[in-house]
Amino acid sequence: MKLTKKQQEKIWGESGPYSQVNFKIENRILDDFVSRIFVIVETELNPFTFELIKKNSEKFKKDKMIQGILDNSEYQGIGYGYVSCAYREELMQEGDSKVNDKTFEIAHKVLAITQQATIKMHKFTMNFLKEKNDEK
């Protein structure tokens, strides 16, 4: 399927879908000190893929991660696409002397699951585009 210029902008990648899964450390600063630190896993899904998956959501009804992304994403504009937070947990508060290692462990597991869900959505998009191209 030959993408229009608008579709190409929405898919982000030159040869296929491009998205991001982010693992972030968020330092919250209050006045002149770090008051809290969070670990965050989120996905920035390209608009083309998100909208295609949303239209075909019945095919993913048993996939809790994809359903979570579809249900909890917020459109942040063409540059960020659909952003969904998969995990956010406090790592430490002011006065804590030890980082919560369990938080990192869980975050890494959620990161891997989120990456796989994103890849699954990309594969669906790639197959859709291939099928449309084969029809021509």
Side-chain angles (χ1 to χ4, degrees), residues 62-136:
K62 292 184 180 180
D63 191 315
K64 290 180 183 179
M65 189 58 165
I66 291 177
Q67 287 303 315
I69 291 170
L70 293 176
D71 293 343
N72 298 300
S73 290
E74 184 176 308
Y75 185 64
Q76 298 289 317
I78 194 69
Y80 291 98
Y82 288 85
V83 178
S84 179
C85 183
Y87 182 77
R88 177 186 311 256
E89 189 65 42
E90 196 163 11
L91 188 58
M92 58 188 306
Q93 291 182 342
E94 177 197 7
D96 287 351
S97 60
K98 189 174 182 194
V99 170
N100 184 348
D101 291 332
K102 193 75 168 167
T103 299
F104 271 123
E105 184 182 322
I106 294 168
H108 280 284
K109 287 178 183 177
V110 173
L111 176 69
I113 293 166
T114 306
Q115 287 174 177
Q116 288 305 311
T118 302
I119 289 168
K120 186 175 181 179
M121 290 185 281
H122 277 200
K123 285 182 179 180
F124 183 86
T125 300
M126 292 163 46
N127 288 336
F128 170 82
L129 293 172
K130 185 181 181 313
E131 287 173 15
K132 290 294 181 187
N133 195 35
D134 290 347
E135 289 175 5
K136 291 184 177 187

Side-chain angles (χ1 to χ4, degrees), residues 4-91:
T4 66
K5 184 176 178 165
K6 185 171 178 110
Q7 289 171 320
Q8 189 68 45
E9 288 174 0
K10 291 174 80 173
I11 206 164
W12 293 351
E14 291 181 25
S15 61
Y18 174 87
S19 297
Q20 297 179 169
V21 176
N22 302 313
F23 182 95
K24 301 190 313 187
I25 305 294
E26 180 180 271
N27 292 281
R28 296 191 179 178
I29 300 170
L30 176 63
D31 298 329
D32 60 352
F33 64 95
V34 176
S35 62
R36 298 163 82 188
I37 301 173
F38 286 82
V39 175
I40 300 168
V41 176
E42 66 183 13
T43 184
E44 295 173 11
L45 197 61
N46 71 75
F48 186 95
T49 297
F50 180 89
E51 292 162 8
L52 179 64
I53 299 299
K54 189 82 168 171
K55 285 179 190 170
N56 293 278
S57 63
E58 73 283 348
K59 294 179 181 180
F60 300 95
K61 65 184 173 190
K62 292 184 180 180
D63 191 315
K64 290 180 183 179
M65 189 58 165
I66 291 177
Q67 287 303 315
I69 291 170
L70 293 176
D71 293 343
N72 298 300
S73 290
E74 184 176 308
Y75 185 64
Q76 298 289 317
I78 194 69
Y80 291 98
Y82 288 85
V83 178
S84 179
C85 183
Y87 182 77
R88 177 186 311 256
E89 189 65 42
E90 196 163 11
L91 188 58

